[in-house]
Structure formats: C-alpha cells, structure tokens
Amino acid sequence: MDRIVINGGKKLKGEIDISGSKNSALPILFATLLTDEPTIITNVPSLADIDTTIKFLNFIGKNIIKEENVVKTCFSGKYKHIAPYDLVRKMRASILIMGPLLARIKKVDVSLPGGCAIGARPIDIHLDAFQKMGVDIYVENGYVKTFAKNGIKGAVIDFKLPSVGATENILLSAVLAKGVTTIINAACEPEIEDLATVLNKMGARIIGAGTNKIVIKGVDKLCGFTHKIIPDRIEAATYMIAAAVMKGEVTLNKVEPIHLKAVIDKLKRCGLFIKEKKDTIFVKWVKNLKPQNVKTEVYPGFPTDVQAQWMVLMSLLDGKARIEENIFENRFMHVAELQRFGADIVMNGKVAYIKGVKRFSGAPVMVSDLRAGAALILAGLAAKGKTTVSRIYHLDRGYEALEKKLKKLGADIKRVHNN
Ligand code: UD1
C-alpha cells in the first residue's frame, strides 16, 4: 500500500486552485440516472469516490465517460435494480442509488451500508421517508429490498435530523413522483442546492433548496443538462488551516467564500489575516494566533468535515480549546494519532479538550477516515522531522492532487509506492 512521507517544517507560500466538490459531484452523478438524454458535468474532481460511482452507474446500466474533469453520460440502457455489497461497502453515498432507481424502475435492492470508522451511520431516515412515499421495504440477506408497486407518491416528510444524504435521496425520487413532496427539517448544505439546481435544469420543479423546507412538485419526465460543480468547501477549509498551521501565505483560487463563512469567521477570530474576493481567498499567518472553541453543526454552522483539521491547529496554538462533535458519534479517531505527534488532548464523550504544545515531532501514523487523514497530513507538515502516513487510500477518496498542490505551496511531501 502507498504511503505519504513528509519532512515537516516548511513554510507554505503560493497559490492553488480548489477542485470541484466531491459531495456535490456524487449526488449529481446519481441524478444522471433520471434521464435518458445526454448530460455533461464539468469541474468533477478526480477522486477514488468518483471512480467508484462511475463504475457503479456503469454497472447499473448507464454509459459514462470521464476525461480529466469532465463527465459525459450519453446513453442509457435498461437499468439493473441491484446495488451489490462490493460497490456499496466502498462508499456510503452509494445509497443515493435508491432515489433515482425507485423513481425510474420502481424497484431497487441495496446492500446495507453497515458501520464505518466515524460511527454507525444508519439509513433509517432515508427508509422512513421512502415508506411515506409508498415504497414497501424489507431486509433480506443483508440487502434492503424496496418496491414501489404503484410508483413513488408525493408526501409530507418531517426528518428527525437534517440528514444530507436523506435530503438528496428524497429529492432524487420526488422529482418524478406523483404529486407534491414537502421535506421539513431538510439539510441546507450548498451541495443540496447544487443538486437542486441540476434537477431544475432537467425540468424538475423544486423550491426552497438551501433552506430547511423544500417543496418538490413531481413531473413526468426529465431532460439532459450541462452543469459545473461548485468548489469543494472542505478542501478549501483544509488548505486555509494548512496555511495557519504552516505560518503560510496562500491564495486559494476557484472558491466560493460564502460557503466557508463559519470556518473563515473562526479563523479570523484566531487572528489570521483573510481577504475574500469573488472567487479567491487570501490567507496570511499572523503572530500569536489565539485558540477558538468550536462546535460542529449542520450548515451554516461549523462543518464536522473540518473538525479534525481544526484540532491540529488548536494543538499548535498557545492556550486551550474545546471541540464538540455534534454530528457523528465517533469522529475522534484522529486523536490517538495526533497524540503520537505530541498533541495534548483529553477526551470526554463528544468533547475534546486541547492544550496547545510548542511543536509536534514527526511520527509514523495511520489514517482511519478521510478527514482524519487530512488532519494527519497537516500535523506532518507542521512536525519537526519525518512523518510517514499510511492507509492513504482514505485521502484519495476526497483530496484531488493532494501532494501536487502541497508541493506547489512549498511542502516537502512525496508518495511512496510499496510493493
Ligand atoms: C454527508 C457528507 C459527509 C458529511 C455529512 C455531514 C456526502 C457524500 N457526505 O454525509 O461528508 O460529514 O454529510 O455533514 O455528502 N443519520 C441517521 N439516519 C439516517 C441518516 C443519517 O441517524 O438515515 C445520522 C448519521 O448517523 C449522522 C447524522 O445523521 O450522525 C448526519 O448524517 P448525514 O447528514 O446523513 O451524513 P451523510 O449524508 O452520510
């Protein structure tokens, strides 16, 4: 398995482009199942999760070509209705197959996604909603088997939690349902707005995406579309924090500053100099940065996907900080690895108490999940000496050209291929 080797301590300086959003591209790729007409999606990041999705959609019956950052779907055959274990276990977002297939062929059997490193991550909110929309559901041999005998019907759905995936899955089916669907307590993330923009380009009738109440009037048929994926706000936040950790001066191009408001506000409160323009962000380290507590929340609050990276920054500032994780029950797998660099972190349930240390020293560490991996890379960049990061396939799921971008900024980082 490949590893990343970092010789820490280099200042970061320069500019990089932020890639298209993984979490936006994934549901939009699933949306192509809703039409037989050609679609063109640009700014699609080159990531393992995107490749997995393309392979999955090809297996289901879609014909997809990806060249660099452009995906074209040009022909649709007869869809299969089975999402096998081997594809679903690799990526939780595979459950987004349910919405479009129920809408198009009334039937889909999906292998249960199971647990993952950051918590149990059930799919009850998705299933309860589909049941309200007229879908029969039962579990057999590790598969959730679903059948909408009379097609999908509009319904009023009140989520117990604003789940991102469930909001997307319901949108992906309600657009072709009979009647009107109202989602109450919907997730408001920018990725949901991006998906709704695409669906509306296809002829769907969605209002309210980006707020916690979405109303969808079902239509009979959807058409092709061309769409550019929004910038990846989590990747951008990771590089902003990298600049803070590495005493850097970094310009991020092709970003959407408004999507990063919670992170930018916190970084400014730490004392970092940040200048936002229309689609660029300039970040400059300033002496004596001060720690800031954070609580992860649904959008527009501080994102859970930036919690691990924030912990690295707090560990290296003079003073104390408290980080509360409110979205996932077990998203602190990075703590033990950060302690190997010398971090001073004490856990109590969903709260981490961090006391800043003067410096990290390089260590061999192992990635448990995507964002934990980002945190270990940041820690390695800051640490004195050599850090070896293993199990980096998690990072390849979500960070396009990670080493290339960091090298461009002056980091001493390389990928080592193991036999
Ligand atoms: C998406 C993002 C992920 C991000 C997360 C929260 C993608 C591909 N992934 O994940 O990067 O960290 O949003 O912003 O977009 N839950 C239930 N029952 C359900 C569904 C969810 O209890 O049926 C719980 C989850 O266990 C979790 C919380 O709700 O504790 C939020 O999950 P959800 O918003 O669904 O996250 P994902 O869509 O999986």
Side-chain angles (χ1 to χ4, degrees), residues 23 92 121-126 161 163-165 304-305 327-328 331:
N23 288 353
R92 182 180 156 85
R121 300 182 87 174
I123 56 166
D124 55 323
I125 300 174
H126 303 241
L161 285 170
S163 156
V164 173
T304 173
D305 286 351
I327 307 295
F328 291 107
R331 201 171 201 176

PDB file of all heavy atoms in Angstrom, residues 23 92 121-126 161 163-165 304-305 327-328 331, ligand 1:
ATOM      1  N   ASN A  23     -18.689  16.101  -2.605  1.00  0.00           N
ATOM      2  CA  ASN A  23     -20.027  15.828  -2.055  1.00  0.00           C
ATOM      3  C   ASN A  23     -21.155  16.408  -2.902  1.00  0.00           C
ATOM      4  O   ASN A  23     -22.323  16.083  -2.706  1.00  0.00           O
ATOM      5  CB  ASN A  23     -20.123  16.345  -0.613  1.00  0.00           C
ATOM      6  CG  ASN A  23     -19.307  15.481   0.337  1.00  0.00           C
ATOM      7  OD1 ASN A  23     -18.786  14.441  -0.049  1.00  0.00           O
ATOM      8  ND2 ASN A  23     -19.201  15.919   1.584  1.00  0.00           N
ATOM      9  N   ARG A  92     -20.418   5.065   1.291  1.00  0.00           N
ATOM     10  CA  ARG A  92     -21.752   5.184   1.845  1.00  0.00           C
ATOM     11  C   ARG A  92     -22.710   5.916   0.897  1.00  0.00           C
ATOM     12  O   ARG A  92     -23.914   5.621   0.850  1.00  0.00           O
ATOM     13  CB  ARG A  92     -21.657   5.908   3.188  1.00  0.00           C
ATOM     14  CG  ARG A  92     -22.969   6.037   3.875  1.00  0.00           C
ATOM     15  CD  ARG A  92     -22.830   6.745   5.189  1.00  0.00           C
ATOM     16  NE  ARG A  92     -24.100   7.355   5.547  1.00  0.00           N
ATOM     17  CZ  ARG A  92     -25.064   6.734   6.164  1.00  0.00           C
ATOM     18  NH1 ARG A  92     -24.925   5.495   6.532  1.00  0.00           N
ATOM     19  NH2 ARG A  92     -26.195   7.349   6.424  1.00  0.00           N
ATOM     20  N   ARG A 121     -23.840   5.305  11.508  1.00  0.00           N
ATOM     21  CA  ARG A 121     -24.398   5.907  10.282  1.00  0.00           C
ATOM     22  C   ARG A 121     -25.549   5.091   9.683  1.00  0.00           C
ATOM     23  O   ARG A 121     -25.446   4.533   8.595  1.00  0.00           O
ATOM     24  CB  ARG A 121     -23.290   6.137   9.246  1.00  0.00           C
ATOM     25  CG  ARG A 121     -22.222   7.052   9.761  1.00  0.00           C
ATOM     26  CD  ARG A 121     -21.147   7.328   8.744  1.00  0.00           C
ATOM     27  NE  ARG A 121     -21.459   8.445   7.874  1.00  0.00           N
ATOM     28  CZ  ARG A 121     -20.606   8.938   6.970  1.00  0.00           C
ATOM     29  NH1 ARG A 121     -19.434   8.411   6.824  1.00  0.00           N
ATOM     30  NH2 ARG A 121     -20.957   9.954   6.218  1.00  0.00           N
ATOM     31  N   PRO A 122     -26.674   5.016  10.389  1.00  0.00           N
ATOM     32  CA  PRO A 122     -27.823   4.264   9.884  1.00  0.00           C
ATOM     33  C   PRO A 122     -28.478   4.950   8.679  1.00  0.00           C
ATOM     34  O   PRO A 122     -28.133   6.085   8.341  1.00  0.00           O
ATOM     35  CB  PRO A 122     -28.774   4.253  11.077  1.00  0.00           C
ATOM     36  CG  PRO A 122     -28.403   5.428  11.891  1.00  0.00           C
ATOM     37  CD  PRO A 122     -26.943   5.682  11.669  1.00  0.00           C
ATOM     38  N   ILE A 123     -29.452   4.250   8.044  1.00  0.00           N
ATOM     39  CA  ILE A 123     -30.168   4.866   6.904  1.00  0.00           C
ATOM     40  C   ILE A 123     -31.677   4.926   7.183  1.00  0.00           C
ATOM     41  O   ILE A 123     -32.482   4.962   6.263  1.00  0.00           O
ATOM     42  CB  ILE A 123     -29.882   4.140   5.570  1.00  0.00           C
ATOM     43  CG1 ILE A 123     -30.219   2.640   5.647  1.00  0.00           C
ATOM     44  CG2 ILE A 123     -28.451   4.329   5.144  1.00  0.00           C
ATOM     45  CD1 ILE A 123     -30.285   1.972   4.268  1.00  0.00           C
ATOM     46  N   ASP A 124     -32.030   4.918   8.479  1.00  0.00           N
ATOM     47  CA  ASP A 124     -33.449   4.905   8.848  1.00  0.00           C
ATOM     48  C   ASP A 124     -34.220   6.122   8.321  1.00  0.00           C
ATOM     49  O   ASP A 124     -35.397   6.017   7.948  1.00  0.00           O
ATOM     50  CB  ASP A 124     -33.607   4.781  10.379  1.00  0.00           C
ATOM     51  CG  ASP A 124     -32.856   5.865  11.130  1.00  0.00           C
ATOM     52  OD1 ASP A 124     -31.753   6.236  10.682  1.00  0.00           O
ATOM     53  OD2 ASP A 124     -33.369   6.360  12.146  1.00  0.00           O
ATOM     54  N   ILE A 125     -33.558   7.286   8.258  1.00  0.00           N
ATOM     55  CA  ILE A 125     -34.265   8.500   7.814  1.00  0.00           C
ATOM     56  C   ILE A 125     -34.641   8.365   6.325  1.00  0.00           C
ATOM     57  O   ILE A 125     -35.753   8.714   5.917  1.00  0.00           O
ATOM     58  CB  ILE A 125     -33.402   9.762   8.060  1.00  0.00           C
ATOM     59  CG1 ILE A 125     -33.092   9.887   9.568  1.00  0.00           C
ATOM     60  CG2 ILE A 125     -34.081  11.025   7.536  1.00  0.00           C
ATOM     61  CD1 ILE A 125     -32.142  11.009   9.935  1.00  0.00           C
ATOM     62  N   HIS A 126     -33.716   7.792   5.547  1.00  0.00           N
ATOM     63  CA  HIS A 126     -33.991   7.546   4.128  1.00  0.00           C
ATOM     64  C   HIS A 126     -35.194   6.592   4.005  1.00  0.00           C
ATOM     65  O   HIS A 126     -36.142   6.841   3.258  1.00  0.00           O
ATOM     66  CB  HIS A 126     -32.816   6.858   3.419  1.00  0.00           C
ATOM     67  CG  HIS A 126     -31.500   7.581   3.495  1.00  0.00           C
ATOM     68  ND1 HIS A 126     -30.836   8.026   2.394  1.00  0.00           N
ATOM     69  CD2 HIS A 126     -30.707   7.930   4.544  1.00  0.00           C
ATOM     70  CE1 HIS A 126     -29.700   8.611   2.740  1.00  0.00           C
ATOM     71  NE2 HIS A 126     -29.605   8.546   4.055  1.00  0.00           N
ATOM     72  N   LEU A 161     -33.789  14.287  11.831  1.00  0.00           N
ATOM     73  CA  LEU A 161     -32.497  15.001  11.802  1.00  0.00           C
ATOM     74  C   LEU A 161     -32.298  15.506  10.369  1.00  0.00           C
ATOM     75  O   LEU A 161     -32.705  14.829   9.425  1.00  0.00           O
ATOM     76  CB  LEU A 161     -31.339  14.037  12.037  1.00  0.00           C
ATOM     77  CG  LEU A 161     -31.039  13.484  13.399  1.00  0.00           C
ATOM     78  CD1 LEU A 161     -30.004  12.373  13.298  1.00  0.00           C
ATOM     79  CD2 LEU A 161     -30.486  14.610  14.241  1.00  0.00           C
ATOM     80  N   SER A 163     -30.589  15.181   7.700  1.00  0.00           N
ATOM     81  CA  SER A 163     -29.565  14.358   7.045  1.00  0.00           C
ATOM     82  C   SER A 163     -29.309  14.841   5.615  1.00  0.00           C
ATOM     83  O   SER A 163     -30.256  15.012   4.833  1.00  0.00           O
ATOM     84  CB  SER A 163     -30.028  12.900   7.027  1.00  0.00           C
ATOM     85  OG  SER A 163     -29.406  12.183   5.988  1.00  0.00           O
ATOM     86  N   VAL A 164     -28.048  15.024   5.290  1.00  0.00           N
ATOM     87  CA  VAL A 164     -27.660  15.468   3.949  1.00  0.00           C
ATOM     88  C   VAL A 164     -28.046  14.397   2.922  1.00  0.00           C
ATOM     89  O   VAL A 164     -28.736  14.660   1.934  1.00  0.00           O
ATOM     90  CB  VAL A 164     -26.129  15.745   3.900  1.00  0.00           C
ATOM     91  CG1 VAL A 164     -25.670  16.050   2.481  1.00  0.00           C
ATOM     92  CG2 VAL A 164     -25.762  16.873   4.838  1.00  0.00           C
ATOM     93  N   GLY A 165     -27.598  13.165   3.181  1.00  0.00           N
ATOM     94  CA  GLY A 165     -27.851  12.079   2.235  1.00  0.00           C
ATOM     95  C   GLY A 165     -29.338  11.828   2.040  1.00  0.00           C
ATOM     96  O   GLY A 165     -29.804  11.623   0.908  1.00  0.00           O
ATOM     97  N   THR A 304     -18.592  19.408  10.417  1.00  0.00           N
ATOM     98  CA  THR A 304     -17.935  18.246  11.028  1.00  0.00           C
ATOM     99  C   THR A 304     -16.739  17.806  10.193  1.00  0.00           C
ATOM    100  O   THR A 304     -15.755  17.296  10.726  1.00  0.00           O
ATOM    101  CB  THR A 304     -18.941  17.081  11.202  1.00  0.00           C
ATOM    102  OG1 THR A 304     -18.230  15.926  11.634  1.00  0.00           O
ATOM    103  CG2 THR A 304     -19.682  16.726   9.920  1.00  0.00           C
ATOM    104  N   ASP A 305     -16.799  18.020   8.870  1.00  0.00           N
ATOM    105  CA  ASP A 305     -15.704  17.587   7.999  1.00  0.00           C
ATOM    106  C   ASP A 305     -14.437  18.440   8.163  1.00  0.00           C
ATOM    107  O   ASP A 305     -13.426  18.171   7.517  1.00  0.00           O
ATOM    108  CB  ASP A 305     -16.153  17.622   6.522  1.00  0.00           C
ATOM    109  CG  ASP A 305     -17.112  16.472   6.193  1.00  0.00           C
ATOM    110  OD1 ASP A 305     -17.287  15.582   7.037  1.00  0.00           O
ATOM    111  OD2 ASP A 305     -17.673  16.476   5.076  1.00  0.00           O
ATOM    112  N   ILE A 327     -22.278  15.992  15.200  1.00  0.00           N
ATOM    113  CA  ILE A 327     -22.910  15.347  14.042  1.00  0.00           C
ATOM    114  C   ILE A 327     -22.705  13.838  14.062  1.00  0.00           C
ATOM    115  O   ILE A 327     -23.654  13.075  13.880  1.00  0.00           O
ATOM    116  CB  ILE A 327     -22.388  15.949  12.709  1.00  0.00           C
ATOM    117  CG1 ILE A 327     -22.531  17.469  12.698  1.00  0.00           C
ATOM    118  CG2 ILE A 327     -23.092  15.314  11.503  1.00  0.00           C
ATOM    119  CD1 ILE A 327     -23.952  17.999  12.732  1.00  0.00           C
ATOM    120  N   PHE A 328     -21.470  13.403  14.262  1.00  0.00           N
ATOM    121  CA  PHE A 328     -21.181  11.960  14.285  1.00  0.00           C
ATOM    122  C   PHE A 328     -20.747  11.532  15.678  1.00  0.00           C
ATOM    123  O   PHE A 328     -20.056  12.275  16.380  1.00  0.00           O
ATOM    124  CB  PHE A 328     -20.111  11.606  13.248  1.00  0.00           C
ATOM    125  CG  PHE A 328     -20.602  11.754  11.838  1.00  0.00           C
ATOM    126  CD1 PHE A 328     -20.178  12.797  11.036  1.00  0.00           C
ATOM    127  CD2 PHE A 328     -21.530  10.864  11.312  1.00  0.00           C
ATOM    128  CE1 PHE A 328     -20.649  12.946   9.740  1.00  0.00           C
ATOM    129  CE2 PHE A 328     -22.013  11.006  10.025  1.00  0.00           C
ATOM    130  CZ  PHE A 328     -21.572  12.042   9.239  1.00  0.00           C
ATOM    131  N   ARG A 331     -16.385  10.520  15.936  1.00  0.00           N
ATOM    132  CA  ARG A 331     -15.489  11.109  14.942  1.00  0.00           C
ATOM    133  C   ARG A 331     -14.232  11.687  15.593  1.00  0.00           C
ATOM    134  O   ARG A 331     -13.837  12.818  15.333  1.00  0.00           O
ATOM    135  CB  ARG A 331     -16.215  12.191  14.154  1.00  0.00           C
ATOM    136  CG  ARG A 331     -15.518  12.422  12.844  1.00  0.00           C
ATOM    137  CD  ARG A 331     -16.252  13.302  11.896  1.00  0.00           C
ATOM    138  NE  ARG A 331     -15.742  13.045  10.557  1.00  0.00           N
ATOM    139  CZ  ARG A 331     -16.228  13.599   9.476  1.00  0.00           C
ATOM    140  NH1 ARG A 331     -17.232  14.425   9.554  1.00  0.00           N
ATOM    141  NH2 ARG A 331     -15.708  13.303   8.312  1.00  0.00           N
TER     142      ARG A 331
HETATM  143  C1  UD1 B   1     -22.710  13.856   4.283  1.00  0.00           C
HETATM  144  C2  UD1 B   1     -21.328  14.068   3.704  1.00  0.00           C
HETATM  145  C3  UD1 B   1     -20.270  13.966   4.795  1.00  0.00           C
HETATM  146  C4  UD1 B   1     -20.604  14.895   5.957  1.00  0.00           C
HETATM  147  C5  UD1 B   1     -22.047  14.689   6.437  1.00  0.00           C
HETATM  148  C6  UD1 B   1     -22.463  15.697   7.488  1.00  0.00           C
HETATM  149  C7  UD1 B   1     -21.514  13.250   1.431  1.00  0.00           C
HETATM  150  C8  UD1 B   1     -21.149  12.214   0.429  1.00  0.00           C
HETATM  151  N1  UD1 B   1     -21.086  13.075   2.683  1.00  0.00           N
HETATM  152  O1  UD1 B   1     -22.731  12.518   4.785  1.00  0.00           O
HETATM  153  O2  UD1 B   1     -19.002  14.331   4.231  1.00  0.00           O
HETATM  154  O3  UD1 B   1     -19.723  14.623   7.028  1.00  0.00           O
HETATM  155  O4  UD1 B   1     -22.959  14.794   5.324  1.00  0.00           O
HETATM  156  O5  UD1 B   1     -22.293  16.992   7.024  1.00  0.00           O
HETATM  157  O6  UD1 B   1     -22.149  14.252   1.110  1.00  0.00           O
HETATM  158  N2  UD1 B   1     -28.270   9.699  10.268  1.00  0.00           N
HETATM  159  C9  UD1 B   1     -29.210   8.852  10.828  1.00  0.00           C
HETATM  160  N3  UD1 B   1     -30.063   8.186   9.996  1.00  0.00           N
HETATM  161  C10 UD1 B   1     -30.015   8.336   8.638  1.00  0.00           C
HETATM  162  C11 UD1 B   1     -29.064   9.198   8.074  1.00  0.00           C
HETATM  163  C12 UD1 B   1     -28.195   9.881   8.922  1.00  0.00           C
HETATM  164  O7  UD1 B   1     -29.278   8.704  12.035  1.00  0.00           O
HETATM  165  O8  UD1 B   1     -30.839   7.704   7.938  1.00  0.00           O
HETATM  166  C13 UD1 B   1     -27.322  10.404  11.154  1.00  0.00           C
HETATM  167  C14 UD1 B   1     -25.862   9.998  10.853  1.00  0.00           C
HETATM  168  O9  UD1 B   1     -25.500   8.810  11.537  1.00  0.00           O
HETATM  169  C15 UD1 B   1     -25.114  11.206  11.354  1.00  0.00           C
HETATM  170  C16 UD1 B   1     -26.071  12.367  11.015  1.00  0.00           C
HETATM  171  O10 UD1 B   1     -27.363  11.794  10.854  1.00  0.00           O
HETATM  172  O11 UD1 B   1     -24.922  11.136  12.727  1.00  0.00           O
HETATM  173  C17 UD1 B   1     -25.711  13.141   9.776  1.00  0.00           C
HETATM  174  O12 UD1 B   1     -25.607  12.256   8.674  1.00  0.00           O
HETATM  175  P1  UD1 B   1     -25.887  12.699   7.172  1.00  0.00           P
HETATM  176  O13 UD1 B   1     -26.186  14.169   7.143  1.00  0.00           O
HETATM  177  O14 UD1 B   1     -26.864  11.776   6.572  1.00  0.00           O
HETATM  178  O15 UD1 B   1     -24.453  12.476   6.510  1.00  0.00           O
HETATM  179  P2  UD1 B   1     -24.142  11.815   5.117  1.00  0.00           P
HETATM  180  O16 UD1 B   1     -25.141  12.226   4.104  1.00  0.00           O
HETATM  181  O17 UD1 B   1     -23.830  10.375   5.304  1.00  0.00           O
END
